[in-house]
Amino acid sequence: MNTTADNAATPPAGDAETAIALFLEKTGARAAAYLDACIRCGACANACHYYQASGDPRHAPVNKFRMLEKAYRRHKDPWAWLKRLSGFAPADPDIGDMQEWQELVYDTCSMCGRCTLACPMGIDIAQLVAITRAGLTAAGLAPEPIRSMAAAARDVGSPLGIDAAQLRDILNELSEKHGVPIPLDKEKADVLLIDSSLDYKVFQPTLVAMAKILDALGIDWTFSSKGYEASNLGLFTGQEDVAKAMVERIVTAAEDVGASLVLAPECGHGYASIRWEAANILGRELPFEVLHISEYLARLHREGRFGLRPLDHPITYHDPCKLGRRGGVIEEPRDILRDLAPDYREMEPSGVENWCCGGGGGVLLLESAAKTRLEAFRIKMDQVERTGAEGVVMACAFCHHTFDNGAEHFNWDRKVEDLVQLVAEHMILPGNGAATGHPAGH
Amino acid sequence: MSFLGFVEGPLFTVAAVVFVLGVIWKLAGILFLGIRPDYATPRGSALGGAVITNIRHLFPRRIFLANGGLFHFLTGYAFHIGLFILLIFALPHMTFLKDRIFGFGWPALPRWAFIVMAELALGGLLLLWIRRLSDPVQRLVSEPADHISTGLTLLVMLTGCFALQISHDVLRAIHMLLADLWLIYFPFGRLMHSFTFLFSRGMTGAAYGRRGVAP
């Protein structure tokens, strides 16, 4: 723990040159094509919840990659040599530029990717922001507490400092308190469940609900103290060592336990990390399947492994960006909810077009971002209210935390609900009554 | 050699060579930077995603039509459609391309259609430029390269309209000179989006197509 604290206290060594080197290292053909295709039309501003909230042109997505573009034009553009020779190359961004851009890429971008939908060129601006974040982190400009949490994740195993011993204590306590088996470190298991620190510490009822469902369905599953943390703050900061350490632990744990399936929890970026990024970070295909818990439940439900007692109030569903728009899991949660809720209502827009809650990408963690984030959350509240639903369901702990925070701030009266908990509460096993009883924490 | 002969002859040849080689250099240079292989087990098709995203981004989504989205769509299409039709089907262009490059001709626009297309293209580009100068976001992010591309294209089109009466050699020579400059500038500035948009949309589509989603 001391190591983590020390790491957190000392900003990573770096300067503008280090950042520029990182910009250039990470700018491949894809980023270059984006930077060269942009015509500065500003259409992306229409899609950005932070720009819509603040009205500040600096918050438009197109503005957020201009620093990266300067470095590209000067050094890596196929015409960079000619531009430098002729004196038309832009100057390198300096540390002052980088300090200014810290707010733009950390406080007012959740990397939700909605701007890509509006861009006539289809530019994945979130990808360019990720590169910019990586450079800023190298320059020592990743904001607290993201920086120290990423260090804790790398050094201890969890951004909230939960080590293997604490994990065992948490799981034992929850198991005893709620009377449900929560296996840890089984020698062999078909399914390895991972979870996020938010669930281990804050949304424990979600963790218990998952355990109850898996237990009721007779799944051979386990947690592993070798790899238990689903979140990956290395993806927020662009720190490859952090990102690699996090996915390596999970992959090692899954391989050791012989799991054919790694089950990602209700954590949008945690799902993206193990489902879409891990194989690329490690440079090899993974020898197991990865599913988000909503995908897995939808599959089991489709197979007739469980039914659902109807919910008594109208609900709507919030698509977590990293799960839906950027992860492809859009229909599966709906498959469950449409069966669960006789009065299921869609937000407008929804699915791939859904508005971000504003907390993703680590924005929720930043006190400096709170004002704009809460203004942006009004868009989400308005969306939910227009459906008339009493409850808004989600499948991401980070979104849930953002909703709770916004609801508290605005004294909002809608129920913020959790997909897994709803399933646990309303599950019916074939030929049996309710399967899991009342989930924890209610 | 007359000035018209020069701009339609040697200078055009130079401009065409710079254009072709420059575009190839730029596109090859981008691709040479490399695309990382994707080892994640796909849920959908990368190729399908690339095609779908290229087509889908031809039109704005309904949710983005407000706040200037519809304006941008209409003016953008007016400009681009007008420009491309003029470029290929305006009688002087068709004749020039037949004589200098292809060796065969094709039906050209009647005069009235030329005027309609020219109005669409000029009007569209002018409105886009006005928006660039007036919209707070576009004003903040626009750089000299954006204005040079727009200004040069506008001048080429404007002089093209003046030169419609092709017996006026001076007007025709000025138009041709500007067209040569436009071709020479093309690979170095924002005009390259005419090619790179395929890469941009395609790469996004491929990446997310693998994830089973088409942004």
Side-chain angles (χ1 to χ4, degrees), chain B:
Chain B
M1 181 183 286
S2 68
F3 183 62
L4 178 61
F6 173 70
V7 293
E8 285 193 344
L11 187 60
F12 173 73
T13 304
V14 169
V17 168
V18 169
F19 172 80
V20 172
L21 293 183
V23 166
I24 291 171
W25 173 268
K26 179 84 180 189
L27 295 179
I30 289 172
L31 291 177
F32 187 69
L33 294 175
I35 299 170
R36 290 178 62 182
D38 194 338
Y39 295 103
T41 308
R43 184 190 282 130
S45 155
L47 180 62
V51 172
I52 288 170
T53 302
N54 255 296
I55 295 169
R56 174 162 274 166
H57 282 256
L58 286 171
F59 306 99
R61 289 170 186 263
R62 186 178 52 82
I63 54 170
F64 298 128
L65 289 178
N67 301 328
L70 183 62
F71 173 88
H72 222 127
F73 169 65
L74 293 176
T75 50
Y77 264 85
F79 161 60
H80 283 99
I81 289 172
L83 177 67
F84 284 114
I85 288 181
L86 288 175
L87 198 61
I88 297 165
F89 294 106
L91 179 63
H93 293 165
M94 188 278 290
T95 310
F96 185 82
L97 293 171
K98 182 184 74 175
D99 295 345
R100 293 295 307 272
I101 299 175
F102 297 111
F104 59 87
W106 52 87
L109 287 177
R111 188 182 171 86
W112 66 265
F114 178 99
I115 290 168
V116 170
M117 287 302 130
E119 282 174 351
L120 277 178
L122 276 168
L125 188 58
L126 263 176
L127 288 170
L128 285 169
W129 205 359
I130 289 168
R131 183 172 163 82
R132 184 175 294 287
L133 295 167
S134 58
D135 176 72
V137 170
Q138 284 199 271
R139 216 168 44 225
L140 175 72
V141 300
S142 292
E143 292 171 358
D146 299 293
H147 297 293
I148 291 170
S149 299
T150 310
L152 198 51
T153 307
L154 191 71
L155 280 175
V156 172
M157 292 196 304
L158 209 56
T159 54
C161 290
F162 293 153
L164 185 56
Q165 192 58 266
I166 56 175
S167 58
H168 291 203
D169 280 0
V170 176
L171 292 175
R172 182 179 167 126
I174 291 172
H175 173 58
M176 201 59 215
L177 172 66
L178 285 163
D180 290 341
L181 292 176
W182 188 85
L183 284 170
I184 291 169
Y185 179 70
F186 192 104
F188 303 100
R190 294 268 192 264
L191 297 169
M192 270 304 293
H193 79 270
S194 316
F195 292 96
T196 49
F197 82 94
L198 286 166
F199 287 6
S200 173
R201 289 183 193 169
M203 288 179 190
T204 294
Y208 290 94
R210 285 176 59 86
R211 301 183 182 196
V213 65

Side-chain angles (χ1 to χ4, degrees), chain A residues 315-386:
Chain A
I315 55 165
T316 185
Y317 176 69
H318 163 72
D319 287 275
C321 308
K322 308 289 191 299
L323 187 62
R325 179 161 47 240
R326 298 179 75 73
V329 181
I330 292 173
E331 285 309 312
E332 292 84 348
R334 289 175 167 78
D335 288 345
I336 298 169
L337 292 174
R338 286 192 187 113
D339 198 42
L340 172 72
D343 192 356
Y344 173 76
R345 304 172 186 191
E346 276 295 352
M347 275 188 241
E348 182 62 37
S350 62
V352 78
E353 295 179 345
N354 194 36
W355 283 100
C356 173
C357 66
V363 177
L364 179 65
L365 304 170
L366 303 174
E367 192 53 42
S368 54
K371 186 168 176 269
T372 312
R373 173 176 59 77
L374 286 164
E375 277 305 308
F377 186 69
R378 286 179 189 274
I379 298 173
K380 200 74 238 179
M381 288 195 301
D382 178 55
Q383 262 201 296
V384 174
E385 284 167 9
R386 276 189 282 120

